Amino acid sequence: MVIFISTYSKYKELRIRLLVVDLLKELKNAYTYKELSKLLNIQESLLCRYVNGNTIPSEIHSKEILDKIKNEEFLLKFFYNKISFYEDGFVDTSSLLFYPNMLKMLVEIYYQKYIGNKEVNKIVTIAVNGIPFATLAASALAKPLLVMKKHKDSIHLEYIDENLKESEGMVTTIYLRKDYINRGDKILLIDDVIRTGTTIYAAYKLLNKSGAEVEGAITIASVGREWIKHVNTINIYPIFRL
């Protein structure tokens, strides 16, 4: 038993050290060594060895670096500058996906901050733009991911469906496989950008039909205030409000 505990401890320690190397590599894509050195208070030469994989930081140094990076204020400032907002109203969050480990940490922080005291056993998103972010969230939180689609994959499968009003005079339908959802499931919804809240509300109604309970929704960004009309029904937590 002592050997098992020791081995587990060493494994966890190594995972943290390797995670820090991956985080530094992601940061190096956004900063020069000089900027990163000033930001983390680490010598440039040592940073270079870490990023190139020539040296793995010690357990103590790894935890010090992780504490600086895994900071809500630091992560919010870092990612906010990566979101592009265009005159035609398009919000481009795709560049956030170039920093998967950092984005996982930010999603985890918001999960623990707003949802963590509730029991969640499945992540749900709506195809297509929310899928990359939901995939990262499911990986970070170690929960299975279910994807609602605007089509059926097969006539031989059973689905739960809900109408989705996308614009005036245009109504589509979203589907979720019936065998993927169970009565009593505790759901976290994930999406990229919320504007009117219509899509998330349709997803909420579909899940209600199945007997599942939506514990909350985390979105990368929100635009405007129209979506707020749904907060009395769904706990919606945008990471960035644009």
Side-chain angles (χ1 to χ4, degrees):
M1 190 67 172
V2 175
I3 295 174
F4 174 78
I5 293 173
S6 176
T7 303
Y8 176 78
S9 178
K10 288 292 182 182
Y11 172 71
K12 187 177 180 181
E13 173 194 321
L14 182 58
R15 284 192 63 181
I16 291 173
R17 294 170 67 189
L18 293 175
L19 170 62
V20 167
V21 170
D22 288 337
L23 289 169
L24 290 175
K25 287 180 179 179
E26 289 182 8
L27 285 169
K28 182 59 184 66
N29 291 327
Y31 298 104
T32 64
Y33 278 119
K34 186 175 182 179
E35 291 170 335
L36 203 52
S37 173
K38 185 176 180 181
L39 193 67
L40 299 175
N41 193 27
I42 303 173
Q43 291 180 357
E44 288 182 52
S45 58
L46 187 55
L47 275 172
C48 184
R49 292 200 296 275
Y50 289 164
V51 171
N52 291 331
N54 296 325
T55 304
I56 298 178
S58 67
E59 180 185 5
I60 294 174
H61 202 194
S62 293
K63 288 180 179 178
E64 290 174 353
I65 297 170
L66 191 59
D67 286 342
K68 292 176 182 177
I69 299 175
K70 195 174 184 177
N71 174 282
E72 183 178 354
E73 185 178 348
F74 173 84
L75 290 170
L76 287 174
K77 183 177 179 180
F78 178 84
F79 280 118
Y80 184 81
N81 295 324
K82 304 291 181 291
I83 299 174
S84 300
F85 193 91
Y86 296 93
E87 291 182 2
D88 62 359
F90 174 59
V91 178
D92 186 5
T93 58
S94 59
S95 62
L96 277 64
L97 297 169
F98 286 93
Y99 311 92
N101 289 294
M102 294 178 65
L103 189 55
K104 279 183 184 180
M105 290 197 302
L106 185 56
V107 170
E108 188 178 357
I109 286 171
Y110 267 69
Y111 174 81
Q112 294 297 338
K113 189 173 182 178
Y114 296 110
I115 314 289
N117 62 334
K118 302 172 184 177
E119 182 185 349
V120 168
N121 67 315
K122 289 176 183 174
I123 308 291
V124 173
T125 192
I126 306 96
V128 292
N129 292 343
I131 292 177
F133 297 104
T135 301
L136 286 175
S139 174
L141 304 174
K143 309 290 182 184
L145 172 63
L146 311 183
V147 179
M148 294 182 181
K149 301 178 181 179
K150 294 181 182 179
H151 67 271
K152 294 181 179 181
D153 292 317
S154 172
I155 60 172
H156 300 291
L157 297 171
E158 287 191 77
Y159 290 86
I160 305 168
D161 61 71
E162 179 61 42
N163 289 334
L164 169 60
K165 186 178 180 181
E166 295 193 290
S167 61
E168 287 298 326
M170 183 177 177
V171 177
T172 59
T173 304
I174 54 174
Y175 302 91
L176 180 64
R177 281 180 56 166
K178 196 172 183 179
D179 58 331
Y180 282 176
I181 197 78
N182 301 305
R183 179 170 296 276
D185 277 343
K186 309 293 185 180
I187 305 297
L188 171 64
L189 285 167
I190 297 283
D191 208 354
D192 62 334
V193 178
I194 185 171
R195 296 174 184 274
T196 64
T198 302
T199 302
I200 278 183
Y201 184 61
Y204 167 82
K205 289 198 293 181
L206 188 156
L207 290 163
N208 260 4
K209 285 181 181 179
S210 72
E213 299 177 27
V214 177
E215 299 295 347
I218 294 177
T219 67
I220 297 300
S222 66
V223 179
R225 297 180 57 82
E226 189 176 348
W227 61 272
I228 294 176
K229 65 189 178 187
H230 295 295
V231 298
N232 290 330
T233 306
I234 315 164
N235 295 316
I236 304 172
Y237 306 104
I239 296 176
F240 298 98
R241 298 195 181 204
L242 306 177

